[in-house]
Amino acid sequence: MRLHSTALLITRVPVRSARAAERSRMEPVRTCVGCRSRAPRSSLLRIVAQDSELVVDPSATRPGRGAWLHPVEECLELALKRRAFGRALRVEGTLDTATIRSQFIRTG
């Protein structure tokens, strides 16, 4: 903030930087666990582990850690090949991928 003083009047004028203005318009960015590229959150799917099973969280409101993935089968295959879901979700042991595979086959 800058203080402008005139003879008897002192006013406060907020100064907003260009960076602050840009931040207010920016969308959150997440990293795809399959291809490892960064993308806007709206273009990725959130995947969560529920009872050792991977499920899609379309509203991104389920509790727990989430892994973000492009909604294409290539990114899913890369993530499974790299075993990225276990690391991203911090889950030990194996995760059942049948549900998520069927959802990708249905939509793909």
Side-chain angles (χ1 to χ4, degrees):
M1 270 195 229
R2 291 184 190 151
L3 293 177
H4 293 282
S5 79
T6 56
L8 297 173
L9 180 66
I10 297 177
T11 59
R12 292 177 182 240
V13 178
V15 175
R16 189 168 169 165
S17 68
R19 180 178 280 175
E22 184 178 315
R23 255 187 264 135
S24 67
R25 286 181 262 132
M26 289 177 56
E27 183 177 1
V29 175
R30 301 290 183 259
T31 302
C32 173
V33 295
C35 65
R36 303 290 299 153
S37 66
R38 295 174 52 144
R41 179 181 161 178
S42 61
S43 67
L44 299 171
L45 287 176
R46 184 172 186 255
I47 311 295
V48 295
Q50 184 176 16
D51 301 323
S52 297
E53 180 180 356
L54 292 176
V55 291
V56 175
D57 181 12
S59 61
T61 57
R62 289 187 185 239
R65 292 188 67 85
W68 296 86
L69 186 71
H70 283 112
V72 294
E73 199 165 349
E74 292 82 18
C75 284
L76 174 63
E77 293 304 322
L78 278 170
L80 294 173
K81 180 181 175 184
R82 294 177 49 243
R83 298 181 183 145
F85 287 112
R87 283 193 305 277
L89 300 172
R90 296 184 183 171
V91 176
E92 293 184 13
T94 59
L95 293 167
D96 182 17
T97 61
T99 305
I100 194 169
R101 281 184 188 270
S102 67
Q103 287 178 339
F104 268 78
I105 291 170
R106 258 188 288 139
T107 60

